[in-house]
Amino acid sequence: MQPRDATPNGVSDEPGPRTVETIATAVKTLEGGGFPVRRPFPTAACAAVDPFLLLDHLGPVSWGPGEAIGAPDHPHRGFETVTYLLAGQMRHKDSQGHQGNLGPGDVQWMTAGAGVVHSELPAAKFQRTGGVMHGLQIWVNLPARAKMIPPRYQEIPAAQIPQAATPDGRVTVRVIAGEALDRSAVIDTHTPIIYLHYTLQPGGRAVQAIPRDHNALVYVIAGSVVLGPEATAVHEGQMAMLGSGDTIDLATAANANGATDLIVLAGVPLREPVARYGPFVMNTEAEIQQAIRDYRQGRMGRIQT
Ligand code: MN
């Protein structure tokens, strides 16, 4: 007989639903030129959830005409930024000559790699009229071997993001990365990543498979969800870090007051040293100093106007 604790690294080999280990409430802060975000990490309590470096929930914020704020020209190196808009219109431009608009449901998966300078601003028409801006940005770390690869964009319009629903129609999921309800994402990732947007109507239930070697979290955009075998309630603006297991059990109360929106994020941890300075995330302090020099000397380019 093998003793149960003989599995490598002390990782449980037990199948079954993951329990909630900790719940963190997002910290409210200002980002870019001064737009409001809720940020479950990085915070003083949680630096990162390997391989994820940041999760920002932008808004929802209602801007008047001419008021909307974005993020003017700034660099990135060594990781990926993933922007998922829920409401509003953004325009982005970068030092590679790339530009485009993002609207509700669209996803931009930007691999900064060796470096880009970009801007993320409200689209001109949105800026004139004002309106509600709402979205998510996550930062996905790149493994050491991929930090200096050429920049790449994957821009997926809302209509091309795979969607699925449970047979009772109470749960829908948009598959940004990974797989859910037998649908596979169209976006490629450098290491295994799962990024799902679930919408649960009252009384909705779903079981999401998550491989045992992934770190996993749930962040609630709106409403409340009941997670795992201990039926832990998690509310808007809260992140639940999950323990070991091979599924996430999601449910909403039958008498819930409206729909719940949440994201599931999971990935295989890189387990590499992280050296981080603002928009640069490398493995060593020397690589950070190099990134700062390269940016100052214009080697990440500049945005042509
Ligand atoms: Mn950026």
Side-chain angles (χ1 to χ4, degrees), residues 34-60:
F35 55 84
V37 300
R38 283 178 278 182
R39 175 174 293 165
F41 68 92
T43 63
C46 178
V49 181
D50 192 9
F52 304 103
L53 299 161
L54 171 144
L55 169 53
D56 270 356
H57 179 192
L58 156 61

Side-chain angles (χ1 to χ4, degrees), residues 275-289:
R276 181 169 186 162
Y277 178 78
F280 308 128
V281 183
M282 304 300 290
N283 299 110
T284 69
E285 191 52 39
E287 290 167 344
I288 290 291
Q289 294 305 322

Side-chain angles (χ1 to χ4, degrees), residues 3-304:
R4 280 238 59 100
D5 62 357
T7 47
N9 307 323
V11 172
S12 166
D13 206 28
E14 294 285 340
R18 293 174 181 242
T19 55
V20 173
E21 286 201 334
T22 56
I23 294 176
T25 297
V27 171
K28 291 183 180 175
T29 186
L30 298 176
E31 187 46 77
F35 55 84
V37 300
R38 283 178 278 182
R39 175 174 293 165
F41 68 92
T43 63
C46 178
V49 181
D50 192 9
F52 304 103
L53 299 161
L54 171 144
L55 169 53
D56 270 356
H57 179 192
L58 156 61
V61 52
S62 184
W63 298 112
E67 286 179 1
I69 296 170
D73 305 10
H74 60 279
H76 293 292
R77 171 180 279 181
F79 62 100
E80 303 180 293
T81 67
V82 182
T83 307
Y84 177 39
L85 215 57
L86 297 165
Q89 291 285 339
M90 301 278 295
R91 177 147 189 91
H92 63 91
K93 260 184 163 180
D94 78 11
S95 52
Q96 304 269 308
H98 187 94
Q99 53 183 294
N101 286 325
L102 279 181
D106 297 346
V107 177
Q108 183 203 59
W109 197 292
M110 183 184 84
T111 304
V116 293
V117 175
H118 76 161
S119 61
E120 303 159 277
L121 296 169
K125 181 164 180 285
F126 181 92
Q127 182 61 285
R128 279 197 301 277
T129 59
V132 174
M133 196 75 87
H134 189 198
L136 295 157
Q137 185 168 93
I138 64 168
W139 290 9
V140 181
N141 205 359
L142 286 169
R145 62 181 156 76
K147 282 190 177 292
M148 294 298 282
I149 60 176
R152 178 192 179 191
Y153 289 85
Q154 299 178 78
E155 281 182 309
I156 315 296
Q160 289 172 29
I161 298 288
Q163 287 196 55
T166 51
D168 67 4
R170 286 184 181 162
V171 178
T172 57
V173 61
R174 297 168 49 78
V175 185
I176 297 169
E179 292 177 17
L181 298 175
D182 296 324
R183 298 298 307 275
S184 294
V186 296
I187 287 172
D188 292 332
T189 61
H190 289 271
T191 58
I193 301 287
I194 295 168
Y195 183 1
L196 308 169
H197 173 188
Y198 270 98
T199 303
L200 292 91
Q201 302 302 326
R205 303 189 79 84
V207 175
Q208 172 63 42
I210 302 281
R212 274 174 240 177
D213 61 352
H214 285 43
N215 284 338
L217 65 90
V218 168
Y219 175 78
V220 180
I221 299 168
S224 295
V225 68
V226 175
L227 284 182
E230 290 158 4
T232 309
V234 186
H235 307 291
E236 176 177 336
Q238 291 186 323
M239 172 180 81
M241 284 293 308
L242 304 176
S244 58
D246 59 5
T247 64
I248 301 178
D249 292 3
L250 304 165
T252 45
N255 63 355
N257 190 11
T260 292
D261 282 282
L262 60 84
I263 60 168
V264 171
L265 271 184
V268 175
L270 302 179
R271 303 187 199 284
E272 292 178 345
V274 173
R276 181 169 186 162
Y277 178 78
F280 308 128
V281 183
M282 304 300 290
N283 299 110
T284 69
E285 191 52 39
E287 290 167 344
I288 290 291
Q289 294 305 322
Q290 185 65 50
I292 293 168
R293 279 196 299 276
D294 288 350
Y295 172 57
R296 287 192 181 145
Q297 292 169 10
R299 283 193 220 113
M300 295 182 193
R302 61 174 57 82
I303 299 177
Q304 305 296 323

